[in-house]
Every structure is written in structure tokens, then in C-alpha cells.
Amino acid sequence: MGLALFVHAFRAGQPAGQFQFDADAHRTIKIGRLSSAQLKLDDPSVARIHAVIELAGQEASLIDMGSTTGTQVNGAKAHKVKLN
């Protein structure tokens, strides 16, 4: 079995949703407003494809796709960061 990824989304500091992904089923997880995004966020400050999570082996990386507002991980702005 591959890596299991659990994502907790927050909006204005409040929980907005929980998502679970399995690396056996997903190699790239799109985050954004597009209906085809695996992690769809209905917020006008979120770009159509805001960021992606890449799963490779036992590692996961989040990559901002050049969004205007940027991407934060644990409160810190991030362009590309390994997740744990």
C-alpha cells in the first residue's frame, strides 16, 4: 500500500473540510476552484488551479502554481515544500 495523505482545510481559522488521498490512486492532486480539482475549494481568493500535491513513493510535496495570493503550509508561505 502506498502513502496515505490526510488534508485538513481551514477558512478564516475555522475547519472547512477534511480530505484523504491514497498514493495508489493519486500521483498528483490538484487544489483549486476548478470542478476537476481533487481538492476543490470554493473561495474567490483561491485560483482555478492554486497548487498541486505530488505523491512519489513515501514522500508528498506541495507546489504553488503561481497563485496571486500564494500558498501557506502551517501558516508559512510556501512555493514548494515537502509535507510530513
Side-chain angles (χ1 to χ4, degrees):
M1 181 173 168
L3 178 70
L5 178 70
F6 299 91
V7 178
H8 299 270
F10 294 84
R11 184 175 190 174
Q14 298 300 312
Q18 297 180 35
F19 307 88
Q20 180 177 348
F21 301 97
D22 185 333
D24 291 336
H26 298 91
R27 293 288 177 211
T28 301
I29 301 161
K30 293 183 283 186
I31 303 169
R33 289 191 338 256
L34 277 182
S35 59
S36 64
Q38 289 86 3
L39 205 160
K40 187 172 180 341
L41 301 175
D42 187 24
D43 185 313
S45 68
V46 174
R48 292 175 49 169
I49 295 295
H50 198 91
V52 296
I53 297 173
E54 292 182 345
L55 303 174
Q58 293 298 310
E59 291 189 355
S61 297
L62 181 130
I63 304 162
D64 180 78
M65 299 304 290
S67 62
T68 304
T69 57
T71 300
Q72 293 186 9
V73 175
N74 296 328
K77 194 164 188 166
H79 172 68
K80 182 174 183 177
V81 65
K82 284 188 181 180
L83 303 173
N84 49 359

